[in-house]
Amino acid sequence: MWLHDVVDDTRRVLLESDELVLEAPSFAPDGRHLVVNAAGRLHVLPLTRSLRPDGPLAEVDTGSIRNANNDHLVSPDGRHHLLTADGHVYRVPRQGGEPQRLTPDPGSEPLRYYLHGQSRDGRVLGLTVLSGRLGSGDVIRTNVGLLDLDSGELTLLTDTTACDGTELGPGGPGEGHDDRVWFNSELRATRPGHSQVYRVRPDGTDLEQLTHDERVSWFPHPSPDGRWLAYLAYEPGVEQHPPNLPAQMRLLDLADPRVGTPALPVHVLADIFGGQGATNVNGWAPDSRHLAYVDHPVGKGTA
């Protein structure tokens, strides 16, 4: 697990493991804890103020959930872990305990929900919503969804077969921050699998494409201050977001006036090996300078 300083463009290893496959690092709001998924469970790594390990990796008690995947976050108030398991999103207390399901019951067709983002106040979740019967021959649709936790209302912002990485922020309506919804999709692809990064308003207007290249781009993560966008980029021709492939962590400067055009420069933060699990959820530290991600260099060693 790496911590990358995007200003100095340097990185250092936070944690190495030969026993657990670490995935999807995400910071707690206080910046003093980093949460990762491994072997179907959540684990917390305490950090010092200088963002160095301050103790061993500790497993979180998630009660009856034993098979959480790598789509998880910490609530903005730091009181709960949010996690995905069995196609639903759950909440458990920070200290651990029995899960409370947040996503609604399926309607007329099977639905599965995958957590990727949340509003700054924690009242709206950004979900990837999957519909269709897996293995049945049905067309599987994956769309951008917003779940209002107060009303229980689910809003779909897309109607297509290939979206993922739904992320909110930074900010929300009325907060004076960028309230757009970020995601990756094949909306404008001319070949299967050619996913690019997009953003759209919460009401579905002002759709904008952010990446314009041959790479296959997934999991966009805006920094808390709205300055940067980090994302994962596979080599051309890859479909979906598989593990055990060469990929890159990339960075866009959202303050550049060329945002939204092919002329926007792309900075390669690092070449990594893995893909799936590297950055499924937002790995930005609260300082908007440091970014955590995972490399799975099987047989390759680390730099």
Side-chain angles (χ1 to χ4, degrees):
M1 183 163 56
W2 295 95
L3 188 68
H4 204 121
D5 184 325
V6 302
V7 176
D8 292 343
D9 199 12
T10 58
R11 64 176 184 165
R12 54 184 167 85
V13 173
L14 273 179
L15 187 66
E16 291 181 281
S17 175
D18 293 326
E19 299 176 356
L20 293 173
V21 179
L22 306 173
E23 296 184 319
S26 178
F27 275 88
D30 62 5
R32 300 290 300 276
H33 301 84
L34 199 58
V35 184
V36 297
N37 174 272
R41 306 305 299 272
L42 295 185
H43 296 74
V44 174
L45 179 69
L47 301 172
T48 66
R49 293 190 181 278
S50 60
L51 301 183
R52 297 185 180 277
D54 192 29
L57 199 65
E59 184 175 307
V60 177
D61 174 16
T62 54
S64 57
I65 293 179
R66 313 292 297 182
N67 60 339
N69 74 0
N70 49 29
D71 299 328
H72 58 86
L73 294 167
V74 179
S75 63
D77 60 11
R79 296 174 58 189
H80 295 92
H81 292 283
L82 306 179
L83 65 159
T84 307
D86 301 321
H88 279 284
V89 177
Y90 298 85
R91 176 167 56 200
V92 298
R94 178 178 61 85
Q95 298 86 352
E98 276 303 307
Q100 173 194 6
R101 199 179 78 190
L102 301 178
T103 41
D105 287 322
S108 60
E109 61 176 330
L111 296 177
R112 296 177 71 85
Y113 307 92
Y114 297 91
L115 174 69
H116 286 283
Q118 60 187 329
S119 60
R120 182 167 293 207
D121 60 10
R123 296 168 65 183
V124 178
L125 300 184
L127 307 175
T128 299
V129 182
L130 185 149
S131 58
R133 296 180 183 272
L134 294 173
S136 68
D138 292 353
V139 174
I140 305 301
R141 305 183 70 78
T142 53
N143 283 294
V144 173
L146 301 181
L147 177 63
D148 187 312
L149 293 180
D150 292 334
S151 67
E153 181 180 357
L154 176 68
T155 302
L156 296 183
L157 300 186
T158 59
D159 182 15
T160 184
T161 58
C163 293
D164 207 342
T166 305
E167 189 157 326
L168 290 172
E175 295 181 349
H177 297 278
D178 191 335
D179 67 347
R180 280 172 283 195
V181 181
W182 306 75
F183 62 101
N184 61 271
S185 178
E186 297 175 36
L187 274 174
R188 297 172 179 168
T190 57
R191 65 175 189 271
H194 192 205
S195 177
Q196 296 290 284
V197 172
Y198 295 83
R199 63 183 177 183
V200 69
R201 297 290 178 188
D203 62 2
T205 62
D206 295 336
L207 178 68
E208 184 179 18
Q209 184 172 340
L210 274 297
T211 57
H212 302 263
D213 55 47
E214 291 300 301
R215 286 269 176 168
V216 177
S217 299
W218 281 75
F219 301 133
H221 304 308
S223 58
D225 64 1
R227 172 64 189 273
W228 310 103
L229 183 76
Y231 65 99
L232 179 72
Y234 287 99
E235 294 182 341
V238 173
E239 295 188 30
Q240 295 300 310
H241 53 289
N244 303 324
L245 288 177
Q248 291 179 337
M249 288 299 303
R250 290 185 160 202
L251 189 72
L252 299 180
D253 183 352
L254 297 177
D256 193 302
R258 292 167 290 183
V259 168
T261 73
L264 178 67
V266 174
H267 177 64
V268 177
L269 288 174
D271 290 295
I272 64 172
F273 186 79
Q276 167 70 296
T279 182
N280 290 53
V281 291
N282 196 314
W284 285 102
D287 64 7
S288 295
R289 176 170 181 157
H290 294 91
L291 177 73
Y293 54 87
V294 171
D295 190 12
H296 297 134
V298 178
K300 296 177 178 294
T302 54

